[in-house]
Amino acid sequence: MQELRKYKFGDFWNRLLSGVAMAIVVAVTPGAIIAPFITGLAKTSDFWLSIYNATNMGTYIVPVAAGILAASQFNFTMIEKASVALAAFAGSGSAVYSKGTWSLVGMGDLINTILVIAIAIVVIFLIRNYVGSFSIIWEPIICGSLIGAFGMWSYTYVHLISMTVGNILNSFTTLQPVLLCILIAMSFAVIIATPLSTVGLAYAIGINGIAGGAASVGATACFMMVAVATYKVNGKGVSFAMFWGSVKMMLANFVKHPRMLLPIAVVGGLTGLTDSFIQVKNASEYAGFGQPVGPINSFTYMTGSVGTNILLLALIYFILPILYSLIVYLIFKKMPKLYCDSDWQVDLNK
């Protein structure tokens, strides 16, 4: 219990969520980037079909990987990590039992998975001093059976809430696309600059379609604004890294200077406004990604001329976000109380 108390509430959840976020990114990235390019090839031969299937299988290991990586954040032993993974898999809903057969149906409900992982970690902290050398027996039983069973029970109710939130957002983008695209894009532009995972959030609440597209272009807007803002004080290398999504390396800057999120939010809002007319779409598993994953998967939802579709994607994912970022950068430069070049300095020695 003393070991658990050394983690403050915020620190506990930051550690847990960072582990879950990394699991999602690692598991989803192969399918998000490679699968769209080999979908056609998979229909031509068993060789390409094998690569296609292997690429997409990563989704199914998210609960297990999330349990292991989250437990790693607390320096758990191998037995404890595996036990948390057992509970996460059982409670995730990624496997469904019907008529004597288990079937994998995806990564399950992420919110319920996080809930189960949190419970499993707390329980291990509570019992580890009592089970001693019998940890290899008791920890898998308690996590895999009892906590896993609780997760299977809670899944129905938590998943209902998750889907309801996602359905509301998706329906709102149909009824009022301008306002919702602005808000979603602005929110994801800011969230991706925090320790929170836009990938996990998008999947957890199940946003897709136009809402998923708005989330993706919002994340991209953050990349572009940070790339423009860091160019002068950090040089081409850092700016290029930001362009391709390495904004998390600036977490310390954002925490120290929250005002840095304001120009990011503005660019996100402008990009979302534009997207409300273009209306690119994306699935929930890709909605939290910016470019290059976002446009690759948005393309699969588009119909009509290939050339026109590529032009639209180039506009909403690259050209306009960069243009908006340059304009916002020049405007905010004239507001010293809101913008300071030194805020964007990245200390690469840390």
Side-chain angles (χ1 to χ4, degrees), residues 106-143:
M107 71 170 69
D109 187 283
L110 187 61
I111 294 178
N112 199 58
T113 301
I114 293 171
L115 172 65
V116 171
I117 290 173
I119 294 173
I121 290 174
V122 170
V123 168
I124 285 179
F125 271 123
L126 295 176
I127 68 172
R128 64 175 9 168
N129 292 330
Y130 298 99
V131 297
S133 60
F134 289 95
S135 61
I136 194 170
I137 298 174
W138 286 111
E139 287 174 354
I141 289 175
I142 292 174
C143 290

Side-chain angles (χ1 to χ4, degrees), residues 75-87:
N75 300 314
F76 275 17
T77 65
M78 289 191 291
I79 294 172
E80 292 168 342
K81 292 175 187 176
S83 298
V84 173
L86 284 174

Side-chain angles (χ1 to χ4, degrees), residues 64-76:
V64 175
I68 293 173
L69 294 183
S72 297
Q73 296 293 310
F74 299 91
N75 300 314
F76 275 17

Side-chain angles (χ1 to χ4, degrees), residues 55-66:
T55 299
N56 286 298
M57 283 179 68
T59 303
Y60 299 112
I61 63 98
V62 167
V64 175

